[in-house]
Amino acid sequence: MTEKPRQSLAGLWNISFGFFGIQIGFALQNANMSRIFQTFGARIDDLPWLWVAAPLTGLLVQPVIGHLSDRTWLGRLGRRRPYFFAGALLAALSLFAMPLAPALLFAAVMLWVLDASLNVSMEPFRAFVGDMLRKDQHAAGYAVQTAFIGAGAVVGSIFPWALEQFGVSNVAAHGGIPDTVRFAFWFGGAALFASVLWTVVTTREYDPHAMAAFAGTAEANDEVPLLATRSYASSLIWLAAGTLVIWAVGQLRLEKEVYLLGALLLGYGLASAAAIALARGGSPANMLSSIVGDFSGMPVLMKRLALAQFFSWSALFIMWINTTPIVAHHFYGAADATSPRFQEGASWVDVLFATYNGVAAVAALTVLPLLARRIGQARTHIVGLLCGAAGYASFFFLPDARWLLLSEIGIGIAWASILAMPYAILASSLPRAKLGIYMGLFNVFVVVPQLLVATAMGSIMKRFFPGEPIWTMAFAAGTLVLAALAMIRVDRLTRG
């Protein structure tokens, strides 16, 4: 057999069902961590710095897990499923521990642990779809995955609000975490573990011999020997850029979190220099040289998609950090995180997040496939990104918080497209043997913009828009427009 068998609807369901629980965890994190941090006394200006744990762990974890899962085979457990299971177990334990946080520092550390665990589970799921499906089912596979992401996010986002409707206390008594959030996190931990376990139990991966037969000769060259031929010039550029950023923090009086950005640039410069040295020294099997070599040898299509991803995820991270303070301050007139009006606004944000995720689940199975068949995947993504830009911009013109439900329709379409279209375009063009590492490296362009927002947005807001968090939505709308423009180059490449 040289082609994978077609998966039935039940097969598509089982392959991606674990993402339902993973996204419950992400949704609880995205909708409630700013609320938890502010409940413990964090200022709005501190939120980007506290949130930096989430993208930083993704940056470090996903390429490593992608590299390892490409090379793992544990008999009946396969190569991706061991990582599903281990990450889900750790994430579930983190969700149970988070509401027990006694102080801000503990909550920040638990966010780090939670996000690392979620990334351990999530990264192999992206590659798992490519592993299990033939190319003509990739779009359907990622659409089903996106639908589960949307459905899981609806459940995770709306659960605290739903508990309040049933009489559970939504008051942050004595600076603690409200019972609505506490019980929602515990429910989310159980649901996450159960859904990932479903995928682990109901699926069986193709063994290495079968995967080799399916791949045929269409495999990528090893990038490590090519890395050995490179000079250290690019490493020196990264090191110089990191040094310049660190110098600028003191000279321009930027926020101290910008030091992290400089440290990351320096870190990559050192890592690339070490990888080149190892490759030149005849050590082809080391993980560092493999990751750096594959990063520098990315296909052209992946590089163009990466630019669109960079701008897309900048906008999303701005939204996740700032929607709660925006809604509470601009629409509910509450800046004090312990006040009932602030908690009311924060609960409405749960509804808004559930709405855009619900729209995404529906759009992934209806609107996006229809558009993709008519105008192509790249142009469909352009339409989706522009819908999201319109949704963000509408925050400035709507008179009441209830009208923000309309904004979430455009944001939901964009979210569905961001989760489905780039991966469907990419999966069909990547070599099977390196699907995990390339999907992990593609996540770099999901994570780096979040780090940039986390390190720079606080300085921008404090300097130009102090006390007016709604202006972050203007940045979000603008970056989605830039993402749409970047997709024009992808469209030209895919159409030849």
Side-chain angles (χ1 to χ4, degrees):
M1 183 183 296
T2 58
E3 180 60 276
K4 298 170 190 172
R6 291 186 65 83
Q7 291 284 346
S8 65
L9 180 59
L12 294 174
W13 175 288
N14 292 337
I15 287 168
S16 291
F17 186 69
F19 234 124
F20 174 72
I22 292 172
Q23 199 59 35
I24 289 177
F26 273 118
L28 287 168
Q29 169 186 295
N30 293 340
N32 294 285
M33 287 314 301
S34 288
R35 176 184 192 174
I36 290 172
F37 289 150
Q38 288 186 277
T39 297
F40 282 125
R43 300 174 302 172
I44 291 177
D45 294 339
D46 293 329
L47 292 181
W49 173 244
L50 291 167
W51 267 87
V52 78
L56 182 59
T57 51
L59 179 65
L60 299 175
V61 167
Q62 289 215 22
V64 172
I65 295 299
H67 173 86
L68 293 175
S69 69
D70 280 342
R71 290 159 173 76
T72 296
W73 184 256
L74 298 181
R76 292 177 63 86
L77 269 179
R79 60 173 178 171
R80 312 293 184 192
R81 290 178 298 161
Y83 297 95
F84 299 167
F85 182 82
L89 179 61
L90 292 172
L93 293 174
S94 300
L95 285 167
F96 278 105
M98 180 71 77
L100 303 177
L104 179 62
L105 178 60
F106 184 90
V109 171
M110 289 311 303
L111 174 61
W112 194 292
V113 176
L114 173 60
D115 204 85
S117 305
L118 290 171
N119 275 284
V120 169
S121 274
M122 183 185 73
E123 196 286 330
F125 261 103
R126 294 294 192 193
F128 194 50
V129 172
D131 288 345
M132 300 298 291
L133 301 181
R134 50 197 292 168
K135 288 185 178 182
D136 60 2
Q137 283 196 295
H138 282 167
Y142 286 108
V144 171
Q145 191 176 87
T146 299
F148 276 127
I149 291 171
V154 169
V155 174
S157 297
I158 206 169
F159 205 73
W161 177 86
L163 288 174
E164 184 182 8
Q165 308 313 302
F166 283 100
V168 178
S169 174
N170 190 44
V171 177
H174 308 296
I177 297 172
D179 285 344
T180 52
V181 176
R182 191 188 312 273
F183 295 154
F185 271 67
W186 291 340
F187 161 80
L192 186 156
F193 186 74
S195 65
V196 172
L197 187 62
W198 177 278
T199 290
V200 171
V201 171
T202 60
T203 58
R204 179 166 296 190
E205 298 180 66
Y206 298 114
D207 63 42
H209 299 294
M211 292 297 290
F214 295 144
T217 59
E219 287 299 323
N221 295 324
D222 189 356
E223 298 294 341
V224 175
L226 297 178
L227 186 65
T229 66
R230 294 179 179 270
S231 73
Y232 291 100
S234 61
S235 301
L236 293 174
I237 291 173
W238 287 106
L239 291 169
T243 303
L244 180 62
V245 169
I246 291 174
W247 174 83
V249 173
Q251 295 298 312
L252 303 179
R253 297 182 181 178
L254 302 177
E255 294 298 302
K256 288 184 173 58
E257 56 261 31
V258 181
Y259 279 124
L260 178 61
L261 180 60
L264 287 171
L265 294 172
L266 287 172
Y268 182 74
L270 292 172
S272 65
I276 293 172
L278 288 170
R280 287 183 175 183
S283 178
N286 73 87
M287 181 169 62
L288 180 61
S289 293
S290 295
I291 291 175
V292 173
D294 287 330
F295 184 76
S296 62
M298 287 187 300
V300 174
L301 177 64
M302 185 173 170
K303 291 178 180 178
R304 293 190 180 184
L305 276 169
L307 183 61
Q309 285 290 88
F310 178 90
F311 290 124
S312 300
W313 284 85
S314 295
L316 291 171
F317 200 62
I318 289 171
M319 175 185 70
W320 291 330
I321 292 176
N322 294 290
T323 300
T324 294
I326 287 170
V327 172
H329 180 270
H330 190 77
F331 292 95
Y332 282 81
D336 181 1
T338 63
S339 70
R341 286 287 288 173
F342 183 95
Q343 296 300 329
E344 184 181 352
S347 292
W348 185 244
V349 171
D350 290 337
V351 177
L352 295 178
F353 278 24
T355 300
Y356 88 73
N357 281 291
V359 170
V362 174
L365 297 177
T366 56
V367 177
L368 296 185
L370 178 63
L371 278 177
R373 285 194 296 270
R374 290 179 177 271
I375 64 175
Q377 293 173 340
R379 292 183 182 182
T380 297
H381 194 35
I382 292 171
V383 172
L385 293 169
L386 293 177
C387 286
Y392 290 138
S394 68
F395 270 63
F396 289 89
F397 307 107
L398 296 175
D400 187 274
R402 291 171 295 181
W403 286 94
L404 293 176
L405 292 171
L406 295 178
S407 305
E408 301 305 318
I409 295 174
I411 295 170
I413 293 172
W415 179 229
S417 188
I418 290 167
L419 290 174
M421 290 299 112
Y423 295 98
I425 295 169
L426 191 62
S428 298
S429 67
L430 293 177
R432 302 300 94 197
K434 291 192 174 185
L435 193 56
I437 180 59
Y438 274 133
M439 286 294 184
L441 290 173
F442 194 55
N443 186 65
V444 169
F445 302 99
V446 170
V447 172
V448 169
Q450 297 179 54
L451 289 170
L452 187 61
V453 169
T455 55
M457 186 57 69
S459 295
I460 293 171
M461 293 304 299
K462 182 177 287 186
R463 177 163 297 187
F464 297 105
F465 310 106
E468 295 292 337
I470 193 170
W471 284 101
T472 59
M473 283 299 173
F475 287 92
T479 54
L480 279 191
V481 172
L482 292 175
L485 293 174
M487 281 302 300
I488 295 174
R489 297 179 70 239
V490 176
D491 180 56
R492 290 171 180 168
L493 185 61
T494 56
R495 291 176 181 271

